[in-house]
Amino acid sequence: MPTYSDTDQSALTATVTVLGLGPMGRALADAFLDAGLRTTVWNRTPGKDQELLARGATGAASAAEAVAASGLTVVCVVNYDAADGILRDAAVTDALKGRTVVNLTADTPDRARQAADWAAAHGIRYLDGAIMTPTTTIGTPHGVFLYSGPDDLYQEHRPVLDALDGTHTHLGEDVGRAAAHDIALLDIFWTSMAGYVHALALARAEGITARELAPFAQGIAAILPPLFEEWADDVDNGTYSGEGNPITSGVSSMSHIVHASEAHGIDASVMRAAEGLARRVVGLGHGEDGFTRVTELLGRR
Ligand code: NDP
């Protein structure tokens, strides 16, 4: 874990404010405290700061008071409606003038760009970000943080952000880019989760427990990382190669899952959607291509 004394910053940047003390906001504040930063915290609903206060955090009576305490404010709430609701309060906006907001709240790229425009119009320095790993990784080498927006702002606040440990990546000046990565990566996560819970329901209907399936499920998951590598060039180059695994074979496999599910009265709409896309690819004459051809299909206007 890095400590603030490892770095060489002014007293102003040695302080940080965290707005939002849900599980993630608390984890962030905890890591800042661990690293020795003077940390001010605020949450809409009082009382969630108790453990942090006991560890040395400063509790603020209002969000405006909280942001006035530090040069850098990290916001981490449920979505941008909530973040905007906090930041656009007149007293908060006023107190933020000339200071920096790093918004680690998850939402869409458009909301990130709108937030940056609003911040610029009010003299607030703004960096957007996304956290790609669970609360348990914060303050450990396993945390993954993405940022986008002005590079000089990122470099300036990097020493404080580094106090969270983990890997920090600045993705570029387009402020929506961190949220764009977040959305794409969460697309993988949630469709995978949808597949997994469906598989558990199907397995249970066949008398297989989740515990029995788990080791084999991990085997399936292990197939994916090398495929992501292989498919990167396949998709970027537009080859959509089906060598060794044409999409016609995939359609057959997916239809088995649909039939077996529905025979048990289990909703198969997620798999039906995937199978439908694959069948459309075949219908367009690309049956020899790989499943990645669906990317091209989805991108068609
Ligand atoms: P939540 O997404 O449930 O966010 C809870 C926080 O949002 C609380 O501080 C809550 O305040 C605040 N909030 C909700 N509505 C409002 C509102 N209208 N006005 C002001 N504050 C509001 O939990 P997390 O802390 O886990 O997540 C925070 C962000 O971090 C989210 O964007 C999430 O997607 C992201 N994230 C979380 C991860 C995780 O593992 N938890 C992993 C990666 C990213 P109150 O207590 O008053 O309700």
Side-chain angles (χ1 to χ4, degrees):
M1 174 219 325
T3 61
Y4 188 72
S5 57
D6 295 336
T7 65
D8 176 25
Q9 289 298 296
S10 71
L12 182 68
T13 52
T15 63
V16 65
T17 288
V18 178
L19 299 181
L21 300 177
M24 186 52 89
R26 289 201 299 274
L28 296 171
D30 230 15
F32 284 133
L33 286 169
D34 280 345
L37 272 83
R38 282 187 286 133
T39 307
T40 301
V41 294
W42 176 87
N43 191 61
R44 175 185 63 167
T45 306
K48 295 195 178 172
D49 56 1
Q50 293 308 302
E51 283 179 21
L52 295 167
L53 300 188
R55 297 201 56 226
T58 303
S62 67
E65 188 183 303
V67 304
S70 312
L72 171 63
T73 289
V74 172
V75 187
C76 192
V77 290
V78 64
N79 55 32
Y80 275 53
D81 283 343
D84 289 354
I86 297 167
L87 301 176
R88 298 184 189 204
D89 169 86
V92 177
T93 306
D94 203 40
L96 279 172
K97 213 174 172 67
R99 297 176 196 266
T100 300
V101 170
V102 175
N103 197 345
L104 295 180
T105 302
D107 212 311
T108 63
D110 279 353
R111 292 300 297 265
R113 293 184 186 109
Q114 287 161 15
D117 288 347
W118 170 85
H122 290 83
I124 298 165
R125 307 165 84 216
Y126 185 89
L127 203 58
D128 206 77
I131 305 170
M132 300 318 313
T133 48
T135 54
T136 47
T137 65
I138 309 303
T140 80
H142 306 294
V144 175
F145 303 85
L146 305 179
Y147 303 93
S148 49
D151 186 48
D152 55 347
L153 204 53
Y154 173 66
Q155 297 304 340
E156 181 182 329
H157 293 286
R158 182 77 201 261
V160 172
L161 299 170
D162 276 346
L164 298 170
D165 210 349
T167 308
H168 298 257
T169 307
H170 182 247
L171 297 165
E173 301 258 335
D174 168 10
V175 77
R177 213 165 154 76
H181 280 69
D182 187 39
I183 287 292
L185 294 168
L186 290 176
D187 192 353
I188 301 169
F189 180 77
W190 286 117
T191 48
S192 301
M193 287 297 105
Y196 188 49
V197 295
H198 192 273
L200 293 179
L202 181 53
R204 176 183 280 174
E206 287 287 344
I208 303 164
T209 65
R211 173 57 54 216
E212 287 172 316
L213 195 69
F216 301 104
Q218 288 184 28
I220 291 289
I223 295 171
L224 296 179
L227 276 183
F228 291 169
E229 265 306 304
E230 191 185 316
W231 286 358
D233 291 335
D234 188 47
V235 169
D236 285 346
N237 298 336
T239 43
Y240 309 116
S241 168
E243 202 181 323
N245 197 3
I247 199 163
T248 44
S249 172
V251 167
S252 169
S253 166
M254 287 187 272
S255 72
H256 299 155
I257 299 164
V258 169
H259 290 140
S261 302
E262 293 180 349
H264 284 295
I266 294 171
D267 185 322
S269 51
V270 172
M271 184 51 66
R272 271 198 179 279
E275 184 201 5
L277 290 167
R279 283 192 189 279
R280 277 170 62 194
V281 164
V282 175
L284 288 164
H286 299 297
E288 294 302 308
D289 285 356
F291 192 64
T292 47
R293 175 61 78 174
V294 173
T295 305
E296 188 261 346
L297 176 78
L298 290 170
R300 289 185 183 191
R301 298 285 184 271

